[in-house]
Amino acid sequence: MTGRPTDDTATGGGGAADLPPPGREAPPVLPVSLLVSSARLILERHLGVVWVGGEISNLFRAPSGHVYFTLKDASAQVKCTLWRTRAQLVGFPLADGLAVEVRATPSIYEQRGEFQLTVAAVRHAGLGALYERFLRLKAALESQGLLDDARKRPLPRFPRRVGIVTSPRGAAVRDVLATLHRRWPSLPVIVYPALVQGEGAAREVAEAIATANRRAEVDVLIVCRGGGSLEDLWAFNEEAVARAVHDSALPIVSGVGHETDVTICDLVADARAATPTAAATLVVPDIAEHRHRAGQLARRLARAGEHALSRRMQALDGVSRRLVHPAARLAAQRERLVDLAGRLARGASRAMREREVRLAACRVRLLRELKAPLPQRLPLSALRDALVRASRDRVRREAVRLESLGRNLAHLDPERVLERGYAIVARVDGPVVTDAALLAPGDALSITLARGAAEATVTRTRK
C-alpha cells in the first residue's frame, strides 16, 4: 500500500495484472470507512500529542463556540479544530495571521477523509520555551525555599530613605518618583540605575541590588520596570536576579510589569506590587492621610484638654468657695464651742431636775407601799390554809390506812395463834417440825406455847 502504483492501477484499467497469480487468493476488499478509521488509529497512536507551530488563516467561530482554522507555514497547511471548552481557556484573541503554537492530536475526520489537528491548547509562538524555563526555575527555587512566605520580612512603616533599582530613562522611574513625592515630599530617594531589558539586564539588576546592600543608605528597595511581553520582562525571571533578591539584607518590593504579569522576582521579593506605582504606594505612607489623622488626634487632644481644664476649674471654684481664713474658722469654732458648752450645761441641769422629780415620786410610792399590805399576802395566806388542810387530810387518811394494816398484821401474828391453844414444835437443835414422819422416838423437842415453853422427848409417832 505504500509503494508507487503502476500505470494500470492508477488508470483503473482491467487486465491480467488485476488477477491474482495462480494458486494465490485475491486480497480482501476494504470498505472506505474501515480504511479511514484504521488510518486514523494508526496516526493517533504513532504521533500522539505534539506541539505544532504555524500561522492562523481561515479562522471561523461557529455559533456553538467551536473554533475552526487552518495552520500553515511556507510549505504546507493543516486544518485545525478547537472545541468550545478548550477555546474558553485561550488567554488571548485568535486572528488570521497570528503566529501560534498549538498542542494537538493529529487525526482524520472520517466523514470527509480529511487530515486535521484536534487542538487542546494554544500559545503565542516562541513563548513556550520561555514559559517552560520559567516553570523549571520556579520549581527549583521553590524546592530550595526561596519562595517561602516565612522568610519574607515586613516593610518599614516609615522609611527614612527609599532606593529604586530600574532604568533611569524609563517611564517606571518617573511614575515611582512622582508617587513618592506626592505621598511624602521630603523623603530622600536614591536611584540605582540598571538595564531592565535585553542582553546583560539581569546581571545589571543583580549588581544594582548588591550595590544598594553594600552602601546600606536606604531602608527599603523597589525593583521595578514597566509592562511588556514575556521576552521584555525576562531579565526578572533570571536566577541571578532571584538570588540577589533573596540574599538582600534590605527588604525588597517588586513592581515589575502590569497586574497580570508575574515574574520570579515578584515571587522571591518580600512584597509584590501590581505596578511600579503600586510599589511606591506600598512602600511609603501617605503624608496627607497622616496629617489628617494627626489633625484629628490633635483636635481630640485639644477637646480632651479643654474638658479636663474645665473640670479642674469647676473643682477649684468649689474648693475656693469652701476655703475660709484660719482666724475666721477659729472664731467660728470658738463660737460653736461656747454654744455647745451652754447646751451641755443646760442639758445637764435639766436632766438633774428630771431625775430629782422621778426620785421623789419613787420615794412617795415606796412609803405608800410599805404602809399597805403587800398584794402577795392574800394569795400566800390562802395557799397556806389550803396546805394545812391538805396535810391534815393526808395524815388522817394515812392513820386509817395504818390502823387497817395493823389489824391485818395482828391477825398474822403467831403469838395470837398460840393464844388460841396452838403450839410451835421444833427440834431442840433444829428447825420447826411440821411433819411427824420427820421424827423418831427419842428425839428431843422444844415446844413454844402462848405463855412460856417446854421440852419433851418423842416416845411414839403416828402418821
Side-chain angles (χ1 to χ4, degrees):
M1 295 181 65
T2 59
R4 183 178 181 86
T6 62
D7 293 340
D8 292 338
T9 305
T11 57
D18 295 334
L19 299 176
R24 296 183 59 183
E25 295 182 359
V29 179
L30 300 178
V32 174
S33 59
L34 179 59
L35 175 65
V36 175
S37 63
S38 300
R40 178 181 61 80
L41 292 175
I42 294 172
L43 186 63
E44 291 176 355
R45 292 173 181 174
H46 179 69
L47 293 179
V49 179
V50 295
W51 281 96
V52 182
E55 179 182 314
I56 294 177
S57 64
N58 299 324
L59 182 70
F60 172 72
R61 294 182 181 275
S64 60
H66 305 319
V67 179
Y68 304 95
F69 59 92
T70 300
L71 192 66
K72 65 179 183 178
D73 58 13
S75 303
Q77 63 181 14
V78 61
K79 290 184 178 182
C80 301
T81 300
L82 179 63
W83 304 121
R84 177 175 56 86
T85 55
R86 298 291 184 173
Q88 293 174 350
L89 303 178
V90 179
F92 55 92
L94 301 179
D96 289 339
L98 184 65
V100 296
E101 296 173 351
V102 299
R103 184 165 62 88
T105 302
S107 183
I108 295 177
Y109 184 49
E110 296 183 12
Q111 294 181 359
R112 297 180 182 175
E114 294 178 350
F115 174 73
Q116 68 174 17
L117 297 179
T118 302
V119 179
V122 183
R123 68 189 182 194
H124 286 290
L127 297 184
L130 288 178
Y131 187 66
E132 291 177 0
R133 286 178 56 190
F134 171 85
L135 293 179
R136 286 197 299 270
L137 180 59
K138 177 186 175 184
L141 297 179
E142 190 171 11
S143 65
Q144 298 172 22
L146 272 68
L147 308 186
D148 292 345
D149 291 337
R151 54 157 292 276
K152 297 186 178 182
R153 297 157 295 185
L155 303 179
R157 187 176 181 184
F158 295 99
R160 293 169 297 179
R161 287 188 183 87
V162 174
I164 306 174
V165 175
T166 189
S167 172
R169 293 184 296 274
V173 69
R174 293 192 296 269
D175 294 341
V176 172
L177 291 175
T179 303
L180 294 176
H181 180 74
R182 184 183 70 254
R183 294 178 66 83
W184 205 276
S186 61
L187 181 69
V189 179
I190 299 176
V191 177
Y192 300 93
L195 287 177
V196 293
Q197 181 177 345
E199 187 70 24
R203 176 179 51 79
E204 291 196 14
V205 171
E207 290 177 354
I209 295 174
T211 300
N213 278 271
R214 186 171 57 255
R215 291 166 60 174
E217 54 194 355
V218 296
D219 296 327
V220 63
L221 201 59
I222 297 175
V223 178
C224 64
R225 68 146 288 158
S229 64
L230 182 60
E231 294 93 334
D232 297 337
L233 304 179
W234 191 253
F236 297 92
N237 288 321
E238 295 287 352
E239 185 175 0
V241 174
R243 296 288 181 185
V245 172
H246 175 266
D247 297 338
S248 173
L250 300 171
I252 292 180
V253 177
S254 176
V256 178
H258 298 303
E259 185 173 358
T260 57
D261 299 322
V262 179
T263 63
I264 297 295
C265 181
D266 294 333
L267 301 177
V268 180
D270 297 293
R272 175 188 178 256
T275 61
T277 301
T281 303
L282 189 62
V283 166
V284 178
D286 189 356
I287 192 171
E289 180 181 348
H290 282 274
R291 283 174 177 170
H292 178 68
R293 178 64 175 164
Q296 288 181 332
L297 294 176
R299 288 190 292 273
R300 289 176 57 186
L301 181 61
R303 287 195 298 270
E306 291 176 358
H307 293 331
L309 181 60
S310 177
R311 289 195 299 271
R312 300 296 190 280
M313 292 178 65
Q314 293 176 2
L316 181 60
D317 291 342
V319 172
S320 63
R321 285 192 297 269
R322 295 194 301 270
L323 184 62
V324 182
H325 194 276
R329 179 175 294 180
L330 289 175
Q333 291 178 352
R334 189 181 299 110
E335 293 178 359
R336 180 169 176 75
L337 182 60
V338 171
D339 179 63
L340 292 175
R343 291 173 60 186
L344 179 60
R346 290 192 296 274
S349 178
R350 184 168 57 252
M352 184 65 69
R353 289 195 299 271
E354 291 176 354
R355 287 188 178 86
E356 290 177 353
V357 171
R358 288 199 300 271
L359 183 60
C362 289
R363 186 181 297 110
V364 172
R365 288 177 58 193
L366 180 59
L367 291 176
R368 187 169 58 251
E369 295 293 336
L370 290 176
K371 291 179 181 180
L374 294 174
Q376 294 86 358
R377 181 178 178 181
L378 293 177
L380 287 176
S381 298
L383 291 174
R384 184 189 59 188
D385 295 343
L387 180 61
V388 170
R389 288 193 300 270
S391 298
R392 288 176 182 174
D393 294 341
R394 177 75 176 275
V395 169
R396 188 165 44 252
R397 289 194 302 271
E398 293 299 328
V400 172
R401 183 170 175 271
L402 181 60
E403 184 179 356
S404 176
L405 292 174
R407 286 194 300 267
N408 294 332
L409 184 60
H411 292 158
L412 299 176
D413 188 0
E415 293 181 356
R416 299 292 293 273
V417 176
L418 294 178
E419 288 181 355
R420 292 199 298 271
Y422 293 96
I424 299 174
V425 179
R427 291 180 185 275
V428 175
D429 56 353
V432 174
V433 178
T434 59
D435 188 0
L438 300 176
L439 296 176
D443 290 341
L445 300 176
S446 173
I447 302 172
T448 303
L449 303 174
R451 285 179 292 275
E455 293 182 0
T457 300
V458 177
T459 59
R460 186 167 55 112
T461 62
R462 290 192 301 270
K463 296 183 180 179

